Amino acid sequence: MALVTVACIGRTYGLDGEFHTFAVTDFPDLRFKKGNKLVLVDKNGNMVKMVTIKSYRPTKGNPILSLKEYPSIEEIEKIRGYELAIEEENAPLPEGYYRIKDLVGCQVIDDETERVLGEVEDVQYYGPTPTFRVKRKAGPDFFVPFVYEEFVVLVDLPRKTIRINVIPGLI
């Protein structure tokens, strides 16, 4: 069963088992609906058990959730730092959206010269935009913001390639 992480359990909120999350999904309203089933994953990556969303409150920052199986602040403290995941087959993406794991390993190609620049080693978050960390065979790694048209021209997952505009100073 392939899992997709949608949140990490943060600090508690109040006394009734609510907690802040570090959401890593572009679809929190869909993933955190009351009654949805998620998989609780411990800090070692082991599946603990299925849990059910008891409540969800969107906030300006990170959403506040509660789980039916963990109704108190004391119980939430025991699972702080754990992840909430969903089975991949139950989490389809709309066209134009990608999972981070699918982008890692893609070759990065200069759209103008057709030259292979390196390979996506990691996707990191610096502010509002995900950023590719590109590993080169020779030379230091470089970073490319995931901004279509300005930097990213095309993501071709079947071919495992990402075509980019190379602007002065990028590499």
Side-chain angles (χ1 to χ4, degrees), residues 9-171:
I9 296 174
R11 63 184 165 82
T12 58
Y13 180 84
L15 302 174
D16 296 328
E18 289 184 306
F19 55 90
H20 290 273
T21 63
F22 301 103
V24 290
T25 177
D26 287 335
F27 312 102
D29 293 338
L30 180 63
R31 304 294 184 234
F32 304 136
K33 279 185 184 174
K34 182 178 179 177
N36 277 9
K37 299 281 189 190
L38 298 175
V39 178
L40 184 64
V41 179
D42 70 16
K43 294 177 183 179
N44 296 319
N46 301 314
M47 291 189 306
V48 176
K49 67 177 177 179
M50 293 292 286
V51 293
T52 307
I53 301 291
K54 179 179 171 184
S55 68
Y56 159 64
R57 284 194 283 154
T59 64
K60 286 185 181 180
N62 293 307
I64 296 172
L65 298 177
S66 67
L67 304 171
K68 284 185 181 178
E69 295 77 6
Y70 295 88
S72 72
I73 187 172
E74 294 82 14
E75 291 175 334
I76 293 300
E77 281 294 341
K78 294 176 187 174
I79 60 170
R80 189 173 176 180
Y82 283 28
E83 293 179 349
L84 295 170
I86 190 168
E87 295 176 12
E88 191 170 342
E89 60 269 12
N90 294 333
L93 294 175
E95 188 174 327
Y97 284 84
Y98 313 98
R99 298 195 197 287
I100 289 174
K101 70 178 184 69
D102 295 335
L103 300 174
V104 173
C106 286
Q107 285 190 328
V108 177
I109 299 171
D110 181 334
D111 191 51
E112 189 174 304
T113 66
E114 303 284 324
R115 186 171 54 110
V116 175
L117 303 171
E119 185 176 290
V120 175
E121 185 162 279
D122 191 15
V123 179
Q124 301 171 351
Y125 292 85
Y126 300 110
T129 304
T131 303
F132 301 128
R133 179 171 164 226
V134 181
K135 179 117 181 117
R136 297 192 295 175
K137 290 184 180 179
D141 296 353
F142 67 96
F143 298 87
V144 179
F146 195 119
V147 179
Y148 265 101
E149 294 178 10
E150 190 171 341
F151 293 102
V152 177
V153 176
L154 175 71
V155 175
D156 187 345
L157 288 181
R159 290 192 172 106
K160 295 291 284 178
T161 60
I162 300 172
R163 300 177 75 82
I164 66 168
N165 285 325
V166 178
I167 63 169
L170 183 67
I171 300 177

